[in-house]
């Protein structure tokens, strides 16, 4: 399973890249706002650190605005993926961008039908938001499961990004279900790494080594 980092914080991206476990980045307007920096500058910097798909989201709400923004963003780097919200105007934009060879990530996906529409319009990726569904007492994992099943049934090439991931179990379950990618915050990478038996095992190995290291 591929892992993307869900952040616009370049320091976190550097640290995760050093671990060698991520191959892409997703951002959104909220994550960019959190950094308080110029959008294009941040995206350029991310592209220098990660040699893989970097999702940058449009903020226009008409096809024309989205396509215009997308063309500008796509000029920044060959790895830029245009994140488009799943609304009718977004579908139109995905269709245009797909015909221009510009890759897209259909975002704010909360139903199987939205994922089908995005794939039919030519989206490169769909991003079902697990955590936000869980937040309103719906089952986010069930959505990932349903999209995985439908995409297999119809041989869709569109890749599934498990998004709005809140804890390590979301990642493991998405992987079992066959989501191609999980996009996760940096702290989640560290949580995935952590196991108390690893820490205890290492502590004991080092203690035992102390007993014999000078023999
Ligand atoms: C993914 O592309 C989204 O930016 C992100 O996963 C949203 O996560 P949130 O629901 O934690 O804001």
């Amino acid at each position: 399973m591929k892992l993307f980092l869900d952040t616009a914080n370049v320091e976190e991206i550097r640290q995760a890249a050093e671990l060698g476990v991520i191959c892409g980045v997703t951002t959104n307007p909220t994550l960019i706002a959190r950094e308080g920096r110029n959008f294009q500058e941040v995206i350029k910097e991310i592209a220098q650190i990660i040699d893989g798909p970097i999702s940058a989201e449009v903020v226009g709400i008409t096809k024309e605005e989205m396509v215009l923004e997308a063309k500008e963003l796509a000029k920044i780097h060959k790895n830029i993926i245009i994140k488009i919200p799943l609304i009718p105007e977004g579908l139109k934009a995905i269709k245009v961008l797909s015909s221009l060879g510009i890759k897209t990530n259909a975002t704010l996906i909360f139903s199987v039908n939205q994922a089908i529409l995005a794939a039919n319009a030519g989206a490169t990726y769909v991003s079902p938001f697990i955590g936000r569904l869980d937040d309103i007492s719906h089952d986010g994992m069930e959505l990932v499961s349903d999209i995985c099943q439908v995409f297999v049934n119809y041989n869709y090439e569109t890749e599934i990004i498990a998004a709005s991931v809140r804890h390590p179990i979301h990642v493991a379950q998405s992987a079992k279900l066959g989501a191609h990618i999980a996009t996760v915050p940096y702290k989640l990478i560290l949580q995935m790494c952590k196991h108390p038996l690893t820490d205890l095992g290492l502590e004991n190995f080092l203690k035992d080594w102390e007993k014999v290291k000078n023999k």
Side-chain angles (χ1 to χ4, degrees), residues 118-194:
N120 285 359
T124 317
Y125 303 98
V126 289
S127 291
F129 276 35
I130 303 168
R132 292 193 196 190
L133 276 173
D134 289 356
D135 288 344
I136 58 157
S137 303
H138 284 244
D139 188 346
M141 286 320 310
E142 195 180 334
L143 174 62
V144 174
S145 170
D146 289 347
I147 297 174
C148 286
Q149 187 190 322
V150 170
F151 279 21
V152 166
N153 288 351
Y154 293 95
N155 290 318
Y156 279 120
E157 282 175 18
T158 304
E159 292 194 57
I160 301 161
I161 305 179
S164 186
V165 166
R166 299 279 163 79
H167 51 70
I169 297 170
H170 277 159
V171 181
Q173 285 182 340
S174 297
K176 280 162 78 175
L177 292 168
H180 306 84
I181 301 146
T183 189
V184 301
Y186 179 60
K187 77 161 199 231
L188 217 134
I189 299 269
L190 300 179
Q191 288 173 329
M192 287 166 71
C193 187
K194 191 92 182 146

Side-chain angles (χ1 to χ4, degrees), residues 13 20 30-31 62-63 79 85 99 114 141 160 183 194 202:
I13 295 169
T30 303
L31 294 171
T62 66
K63 174 189 89 177
N79 289 338
S99 73
Q114 289 180 318
M141 286 320 310
I160 301 161
T183 189
K194 191 92 182 146
L202 178 62

Side-chain angles (χ1 to χ4, degrees), residues 6-77:
D6 196 28
T7 185
N9 182 297
V10 288
E11 198 38 51
E12 286 181 351
I13 295 169
R14 274 203 190 92
Q15 289 183 26
E18 200 178 352
L19 296 174
V21 295
I22 60 154
C23 61
V25 172
T26 52
T27 66
N28 63 37
T30 303
L31 294 171
I32 296 282
R34 206 171 281 165
E35 299 308 308
R37 297 182 52 201
N38 175 272
F39 178 32
Q40 301 234 356
E41 241 176 59
V42 173
I43 297 295
K44 269 183 211 160
E45 227 175 292
I46 296 173
Q48 281 163 9
I49 305 169
I50 293 293
D51 184 18
I54 297 156
S55 288
E57 188 159 341
V58 296
V59 289
I61 51 167
T62 66
K63 174 189 89 177
E64 289 74 21
E65 288 167 345
M66 290 182 193
V67 170
L68 202 67
E69 275 181 68
K71 285 180 178 168
E72 286 308 305
L73 289 168
K75 280 185 206 156
I76 296 178
H77 195 276

